[in-house]
Amino acid sequence: MTTTTANPVLRVAPASPAAAAAHFRSRLAFHTDVSDVAAALAADGDTGFVLVDSRSTESWDQGHVPGAVHLPTALIPEQAEELLDKSVPVVAYCWGPGCDGATRAALALAELGYQVKEMLGGFEYWVREGFAYDTWQGREQRDRDPLTGPVDSSDCGC
Protein backbone atom coordinates (compact mmCIF):
# COMPACT_ATOMS: atom_id res chain seq x y z
CA MET A 1 0.00 0.00 0.00
CA THR A 2 1.37 3.41 -0.97
CA THR A 3 0.73 6.57 0.96
CA THR A 4 0.69 9.88 -0.80
CA THR A 5 2.26 12.76 1.07
CA ALA A 6 1.55 16.22 -0.25
CA ASN A 7 4.55 18.04 -1.61
CA PRO A 8 5.99 20.89 0.49
CA VAL A 9 4.02 23.49 -1.47
CA LEU A 10 0.65 21.88 -0.82
CA ARG A 11 1.34 20.40 2.63
CA VAL A 12 -0.77 23.31 3.88
CA ALA A 13 -3.71 23.80 1.54
CA PRO A 14 -4.10 27.13 -0.26
CA ALA A 15 -6.55 29.59 1.24
CA SER A 16 -9.99 30.00 -0.25
CA PRO A 17 -10.20 32.57 -3.05
CA ALA A 18 -12.11 34.97 -0.75
CA ALA A 19 -9.53 34.64 2.05
CA ALA A 20 -6.69 35.04 -0.46
CA ALA A 21 -8.28 38.17 -1.94
CA ALA A 22 -8.68 39.69 1.54
CA HIS A 23 -5.08 38.86 2.43
CA PHE A 24 -3.56 40.30 -0.76
CA ARG A 25 -5.79 43.41 -0.61
CA SER A 26 -4.58 43.94 2.94
CA ARG A 27 -0.92 43.58 1.91
CA LEU A 28 -1.37 46.26 -0.75
CA ALA A 29 -2.78 48.60 1.92
CA PHE A 30 0.55 48.34 3.76
CA HIS A 31 3.09 48.09 0.92
CA THR A 32 3.98 49.63 -2.39
CA ASP A 33 6.92 48.92 -4.65
CA VAL A 34 9.76 50.90 -6.17
CA SER A 35 8.29 50.90 -9.69
CA ASP A 36 4.95 52.30 -8.52
CA VAL A 37 6.65 55.00 -6.45
CA ALA A 38 8.86 55.92 -9.42
CA ALA A 39 5.84 56.11 -11.74
CA ALA A 40 3.97 58.33 -9.28
CA LEU A 41 6.97 60.65 -8.83
CA ALA A 42 7.50 60.88 -12.61
CA ALA A 43 3.88 61.84 -13.32
CA ASP A 44 2.97 65.50 -13.51
CA GLY A 45 1.14 66.84 -10.51
CA ASP A 46 0.74 65.93 -6.87
CA THR A 47 1.56 62.33 -6.02
CA GLY A 48 -0.79 62.36 -3.04
CA PHE A 49 1.92 61.07 -0.70
CA VAL A 50 5.26 62.09 0.77
CA LEU A 51 8.25 59.77 0.47
CA VAL A 52 10.36 59.44 3.64
CA ASP A 53 13.91 58.10 3.78
CA SER A 54 14.32 56.75 7.30
CA ARG A 55 18.09 56.10 7.16
CA SER A 56 21.02 57.90 8.79
CA THR A 57 22.55 61.09 7.45
CA GLU A 58 25.56 59.13 6.19
CA SER A 59 23.26 56.80 4.27
CA TRP A 60 21.21 59.72 2.90
CA ASP A 61 24.39 61.42 1.68
CA GLN A 62 25.50 58.21 -0.03
CA GLY A 63 22.28 58.20 -2.04
CA HIS A 64 18.55 58.81 -1.74
CA VAL A 65 15.45 59.01 -3.90
CA PRO A 66 15.05 62.50 -5.43
CA GLY A 67 12.24 64.36 -3.70
CA ALA A 68 12.30 62.23 -0.56
CA VAL A 69 12.18 63.81 2.88
CA HIS A 70 15.01 62.78 5.19
CA LEU A 71 13.64 61.68 8.55
CA PRO A 72 15.74 59.07 10.37
CA THR A 73 13.65 56.61 12.36
CA ALA A 74 15.17 57.69 15.68
CA LEU A 75 14.05 61.29 15.02
CA ILE A 76 10.46 60.54 14.00
CA PRO A 77 8.96 61.23 17.46
CA GLU A 78 10.61 64.68 17.64
CA GLN A 79 10.52 65.82 14.01
CA ALA A 80 7.60 64.17 12.17
CA GLU A 81 5.09 66.89 12.97
CA GLU A 82 7.50 69.59 11.75
CA LEU A 83 8.11 67.82 8.42
CA LEU A 84 4.91 65.92 7.64
CA ASP A 85 1.21 66.70 7.33
CA LYS A 86 -1.01 64.03 8.92
CA SER A 87 -3.57 64.45 6.14
CA VAL A 88 -1.02 63.27 3.51
CA PRO A 89 -0.12 59.56 3.33
CA VAL A 90 3.53 58.67 3.88
CA VAL A 91 5.63 56.06 2.07
CA ALA A 92 8.68 55.04 4.10
CA TYR A 93 11.83 53.38 2.84
CA CYS A 94 15.19 52.27 4.19
CA TRP A 95 18.10 50.30 2.68
CA GLY A 96 16.47 47.24 1.17
CA PRO A 97 14.65 43.97 1.63
CA GLY A 98 17.17 42.72 4.19
CA CYS A 99 16.49 45.70 6.46
CA ASP A 100 13.54 46.32 8.80
CA GLY A 101 14.28 50.04 9.05
CA ALA A 102 11.32 51.07 6.89
CA THR A 103 9.05 48.80 8.93
CA ARG A 104 10.23 50.44 12.17
CA ALA A 105 9.77 53.89 10.64
CA ALA A 106 6.30 53.01 9.36
CA LEU A 107 5.34 51.72 12.80
CA ALA A 108 6.60 54.91 14.49
CA LEU A 109 4.67 57.05 12.00
CA ALA A 110 1.49 55.00 12.34
CA GLU A 111 1.68 55.27 16.13
CA LEU A 112 1.79 59.06 15.69
CA GLY A 113 -1.36 58.99 13.57
CA TYR A 114 0.03 58.99 10.01
CA GLN A 115 -1.34 56.88 7.17
CA VAL A 116 1.72 54.98 6.02
CA LYS A 117 2.94 52.39 3.54
CA GLU A 118 6.34 50.76 3.23
CA MET A 119 8.23 50.85 -0.07
CA LEU A 120 9.31 47.27 -0.70
CA GLY A 121 12.88 46.92 -1.91
CA GLY A 122 13.99 50.22 -0.39
CA PHE A 123 16.86 52.25 -1.74
CA GLU A 124 18.66 49.12 -2.94
CA TYR A 125 15.93 48.26 -5.44
CA TRP A 126 15.48 51.90 -6.42
CA VAL A 127 19.09 51.81 -7.65
CA ARG A 128 18.90 48.23 -9.01
CA GLU A 129 15.85 49.12 -11.09
CA GLY A 130 17.84 51.89 -12.75
CA PHE A 131 16.17 54.97 -11.30
CA ALA A 132 18.20 58.14 -10.74
CA TYR A 133 19.22 59.00 -7.21
CA ASP A 134 20.82 61.96 -5.48
CA THR A 135 24.05 61.87 -3.47
CA TRP A 136 25.98 64.58 -1.66
CA GLN A 137 27.95 64.90 -4.92
CA GLY A 138 24.97 65.17 -7.26
CA ARG A 139 22.64 63.01 -9.34
CA GLU A 140 23.67 59.47 -10.32
CA GLN A 141 22.06 56.57 -12.14
CA ARG A 142 23.07 52.97 -12.83
CA ASP A 143 21.90 50.56 -15.50
CA ARG A 144 18.93 48.43 -14.58
CA ASP A 145 19.80 45.07 -13.06
CA PRO A 146 18.31 42.47 -15.43
CA LEU A 147 17.18 40.43 -12.42
CA THR A 148 14.78 43.19 -11.31
CA GLY A 149 12.91 43.73 -14.58
CA PRO A 150 13.23 43.88 -18.34
CA VAL A 151 16.31 45.80 -19.46
CA ASP A 152 14.69 47.27 -22.59
CA SER A 153 11.40 48.38 -21.05
CA SER A 154 10.24 50.44 -18.10
CA ASP A 155 7.16 48.23 -17.76
CA CYS A 156 7.61 44.83 -16.14
CA GLY A 157 4.02 43.88 -16.87
CA CYS A 158 3.17 43.43 -13.20
Side-chain angles (χ1 to χ4, degrees):
M1 174 181 206
T2 14
T3 352
T4 310
T5 304
N7 66 54
V9 173
L10 298 176
R11 193 169 292 138
V12 173
S16 70
H23 167 78
F24 294 119
R25 186 175 297 107
S26 174
R27 282 192 49 144
L28 291 172
F30 297 104
H31 300 109
T32 188
D33 64 31
V34 166
S35 293
D36 288 344
V37 170
L41 293 174
D44 290 333
D46 181 18
T47 61
F49 66 88
V50 62
L51 185 61
V52 169
D53 184 316
S54 64
R55 300 171 304 144
S56 68
T57 299
E58 295 80 11
S59 299
W60 169 268
D61 288 346
Q62 184 175 321
H64 58 273
V65 176
V69 171
H70 185 221
L71 181 55
T73 302
L75 300 178
I76 288 173
E78 297 89 38
Q79 294 183 2
E81 289 191 18
E82 297 170 24
L83 298 172
L84 307 172
D85 178 344
K86 285 189 179 174
S87 69
V88 178
V90 175
V91 175
Y93 75 89
C94 199
W95 272 110
C99 172
D100 278 339
T103 304
R104 285 190 291 276
L107 173 60
L109 289 162
E111 287 176 338
L112 290 174
Y114 292 90
Q115 297 175 64
V116 63
K117 287 188 174 197
E118 181 179 356
M119 184 176 81
L120 296 178
F123 182 69
E124 175 188 347
Y125 273 73
W126 184 270
V127 173
R128 290 183 71 191
E129 290 192 22
F131 299 114
Y133 57 97
D134 291 338
T135 73
W136 69 273
Q137 296 176 308
R139 178 116 343 146
E140 296 185 25
Q141 188 167 7
R142 297 182 183 178
D143 291 337
R144 178 184 287 225
D145 180 336
L147 296 176
T148 67
V151 175
D152 298 328
S153 173
S154 61
D155 182 9
C156 68
C158 297

